[in-house]
């Protein structure tokens, strides 16, 4: 048996089978997960992959050693909606040369990215080893790390891409096994194509690598050599190329695990595979492809039109869901009560259950401290079985029952096992006092003060507005202003700082 195998088995979407996890290099286990697009607040569905792959990250660190795991999760800040806003808000400054496009995008996405970090920290997630932003990888880089334009050039050079109508397209027919992840065969797609084919595409499944921007749209100067001729297309990258570039930049041409939500299998991951394998001439992009199932809310698809759309921030800091706010740890445990590949029904009932469970576990651990070596072997075995978190939680329930006998050893085991799941990191006292403190603030009263402050700002009475900010700050409530993505109006979020 290879020493790189440490008992972990994972379901691989590529083979549709559960397999032994054997990393390419046990000294550096490498994982890439597609991250959020930062134009709006992340919703609770977005939290699922973040939490699921955080558990996997923690497990890999336990099995291989913390310094032997590299986890990359990108930030997608190249997006037509973001670009449009950058141009709308900072177009003049870009034109005058005072701001680059990347800097303008950074200004637009700063608040959202910061909010995302605050959200996932509250959910108990570790920081990934690297969190590259797409904007930084569009053009060739001074440090020589793989970038999108160079990767596209390689695809052109190797006969996998062509230029048509201001676009550079990936030529799917140039890749005999295109479609192996989603099990879609090219011939089926062609024969069955009922949608009108874009006349400039050779095949309907060909997808955009680079797209020309109109004079009104922001763009990067993409320089390419096509059939010996230099061309410049001022444009922007297609959706998939960023992940091929950033994964190669940090993890190399082939790495161990690639993850994301189920919806990304096609076309996003399929096309990442096509780009990376054809550019590098490799048999696989990642050895193991892992996908989390979708989250629903109270039995229905979550959607703004359904009226059940809820952000992580709203769950943590407002009374929108179930008439109260919820500790991040409750959201996290609720999420882990369903196996990651199953559909998950997110409900108030489930959050209440998770909170009751956590109360009981915290009462049992009190203030014990624990180490990795205290982790229960039943719990570890469950996680090694394709992240069976429901089995892991069952093991924690058993430990909890055992603590009734008063054995400190068992309490330590419960604490260490919880910590591996990213929960039970506090002491009993910290947990219960934090809950009491959050119950003491009155969100309705805070919203009222925020509305009053915004009214003062509109009247340019900044002294009065600042006084309200100070007053709330005195109660431990911190205000954060942001622009409404739709109307551009100033809005304010708040959170309790302890
Ligand atoms: P997006 O910002 O929409 O590209 O999504 C970021 C990540 O969240 C991707 O991995 C998606 O697959 C995942 N995701 C989006 N919606 C849901 C949902 N309702 N349930 C689970 N995962 C989701
Ligand atoms: Zn991706």
């Amino acid at each position: 048996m290879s020493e790189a195998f440490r008992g972990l088995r994972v379901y691989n979407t590529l083979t549709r089978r559960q397999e032994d996890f054997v990393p390419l290099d046990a000294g550096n286990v490498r994982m890439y997960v597609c991250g959020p697009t930062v134009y709006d607040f992340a919703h609770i569905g977005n939290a699922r992959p973040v939490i699921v792959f955080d558990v996997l990250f923690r497990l890999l660190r336990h099995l291989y050693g913390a310094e032997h795991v590299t986890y990359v999760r990108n930030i997608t800040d190249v997006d037509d909606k973001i670009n449009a806003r950058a141009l709308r808000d900072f177009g003049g400054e870009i034109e005058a040369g005072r701001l680059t496009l990347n800097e303008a995008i950074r200004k637009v996405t700063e608040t959202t990215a910061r909010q995302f970090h605050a959200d996932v920290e509250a959910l108990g997630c570790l920081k990934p080893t690297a969190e590259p932003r797409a904007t930084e990888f569009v053009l060739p880089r001074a440090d020589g790390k793989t970038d999108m334009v160079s990767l596209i050039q390689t695809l052109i050079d190797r006969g996998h891409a062509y230029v048509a109508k201001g676009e550079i397209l990936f030529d799917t027919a140039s890749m005999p096994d295109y479609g192996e992840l989603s099990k879609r065969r090219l011939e089926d797609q062609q024969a069955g194509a009922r949608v009108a084919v874009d006349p400039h595409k050779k095949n309907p499944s060909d997808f955009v690598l680079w797209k020309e921007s109109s004079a009104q749209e922001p763009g990067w100067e993409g320089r390419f050599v096509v059939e010996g001729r230099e061309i410049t297309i001022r444009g922007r990258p297609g959706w998939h190329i960023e992940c091929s570039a950033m994964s190669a930049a940090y993890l190399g041409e082939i790495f161990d695990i690639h993850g994301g939500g189920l919806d990304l299998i096609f076309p996003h991951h399929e096309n990442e595979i096509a780009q990376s394998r054809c550019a590098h001439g490799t048999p696989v992009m990642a050895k193991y492809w892992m996908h989390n199932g979708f989250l629903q809310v109270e039995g229905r698809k979550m959607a703004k039109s359904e009226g059940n759309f809820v952000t992580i921030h709203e769950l943590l800091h407002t009374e929108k869901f179930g008439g109260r706010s919820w500790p991040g740890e409750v959201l996290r445990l609720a999420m882990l009560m369903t196996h990651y590949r199953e559909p998950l029904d997110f409900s108030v009932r489930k959050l209440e259950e998770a909170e009751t469970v956590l109360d009981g576990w915290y009462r049992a651990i009190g203030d014990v401290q624990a180490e990795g070596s205290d982790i229960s072997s039943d719990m570890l075995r469950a996680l090694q079985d394709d992240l069976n978190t429901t089995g892991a939680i069952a093991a924690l329930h058993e430990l909890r029952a055992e603590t009734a006998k008063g054995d400190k050893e068992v309490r330590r085991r419960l604490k260490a096992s919880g910590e591996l799941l990213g929960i039970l990191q506090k002491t009993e006292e910290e947990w219960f006092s934090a809950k009491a403190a959050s119950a003491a603030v009155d969100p309705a009263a805070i919203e009222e003060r925020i509305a009053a402050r915004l009214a003062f700002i509109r009247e340019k009475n900044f002294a009065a507005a600042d006084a309200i900010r100070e007053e709330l700050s005195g109660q431990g409530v911190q205000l954060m202003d942001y622009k409404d993505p739709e109307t551009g109006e100033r809005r304010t979020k708040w959170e309790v700082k302890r």
Side-chain angles (χ1 to χ4, degrees), residues 390-433:
T390 39
I393 289 168
L396 293 183
H397 280 304
E398 276 178 31
L399 285 174
R400 151 86 220 253
E402 262 186 74
T403 56
K405 295 180 201 143
D407 185 345
K408 190 158 182 186
E409 187 77 12
V410 183
R411 289 164 59 203
R412 267 208 299 273
R413 230 181 295 152
L414 176 58
K415 166 104 173 157
S417 307
E419 284 179 343
L420 183 61
L421 280 181
I423 57 173
L424 303 186
Q425 329 231 10
K426 301 189 176 82
T427 64
E428 176 184 12
E429 143 115 58
E430 284 164 350
W431 168 251
F432 285 105
S433 58

Side-chain angles (χ1 to χ4, degrees), residues 468-484:
I468 294 180
R469 180 190 276 282
E470 287 305 320
E471 165 201 322
L472 290 175
S473 168
Q475 300 166 23
V477 174
Q478 194 183 8
L479 302 187
M480 285 159 294
D481 287 345
Y482 69 100
K483 248 191 207 168
D484 186 300

Side-chain angles (χ1 to χ4, degrees), residues 32 34 243 258 268-269 272:
Y32 186 94
C34 297
C243 291
H258 194 313
H268 184 54
H269 288 168
E272 279 186 35

Side-chain angles (χ1 to χ4, degrees), residues 32 72-76 130-134 136-137 246 250:
Y32 186 94
V72 178
R73 185 182 63 214
N74 67 303
I75 290 188
T76 298
E131 206 173 21
R133 287 166 173 268
E136 306 295 330
F137 289 81
M246 290 184 278
Y250 287 90

Side-chain angles (χ1 to χ4, degrees), residues 33-39 43-50 76 239 259-264 292-296 302:
V33 175
C34 297
T37 308
V38 283
Y39 63 85
H43 59 68
I44 189 64
N46 298 137
R48 195 171 187 195
V50 178
T76 298
W239 170 26
L262 207 60
D263 57 321
L264 298 183
N292 63 271
F294 251 48
L295 170 149
Q296 298 192 318
M302 180 171 64

